[in-house]
Amino acid sequence: MMRAFLEVIIPLALPALVYWLYLRIQERRGVVVREVPLSWLAVLGVVLLAIVLGAGWLAGSEPPTGKYIPPKVVDGVVVPGHFE
């Protein structure tokens, strides 16, 4: 669930937030914003989504190498499993 949130929702919500802030700034300046082009906003959302999905794919594309050390308890502290 967290990965879906980071990979999809944030890249799509960020341009919407920027657009909303832009409209609020224009209203405070007294400019009537009737038709603001959304094409740049859509392109920004697609680019952010591509970057995040591409980075996620590249980070997870290589299998771990080395010997796997299973989790264990050392002095009452759980040491998680890891690869050497």
Side-chain angles (χ1 to χ4, degrees), residues 64-78:
T65 58
K67 181 181 174 188
Y68 179 72
I69 308 296
K72 59 184 173 184
V73 177
V74 177
D75 296 327
V77 176
V78 176

Side-chain angles (χ1 to χ4, degrees), residues 18-20 22-23 26 31-41:
V18 170
Y19 177 67
W20 182 80
Y22 171 74
L23 290 178
Q26 294 300 329
V31 176
V32 178
V33 181
R34 293 193 180 164
E35 293 184 19
V36 177
L38 292 176
S39 59
W40 65 271
L41 189 65

Side-chain angles (χ1 to χ4, degrees), residues 2-74:
M2 180 59 84
R3 183 174 177 168
F5 181 75
L6 293 174
E7 290 183 355
V8 177
I9 296 172
I10 289 179
L12 292 177
L14 188 60
L17 176 65
V18 170
Y19 177 67
W20 182 80
L21 289 172
Y22 171 74
L23 290 178
R24 299 297 79 80
I25 291 170
Q26 294 300 329
E27 285 177 359
R28 286 186 181 255
R29 292 174 64 194
V31 176
V32 178
V33 181
R34 293 193 180 164
E35 293 184 19
V36 177
L38 292 176
S39 59
W40 65 271
L41 189 65
V43 169
L44 181 62
V46 169
V47 168
L48 284 173
L49 184 61
I51 289 171
V52 171
L53 289 175
W57 178 75
L58 288 174
S61 63
E62 295 181 15
T65 58
K67 181 181 174 188
Y68 179 72
I69 308 296
K72 59 184 173 184
V73 177
V74 177

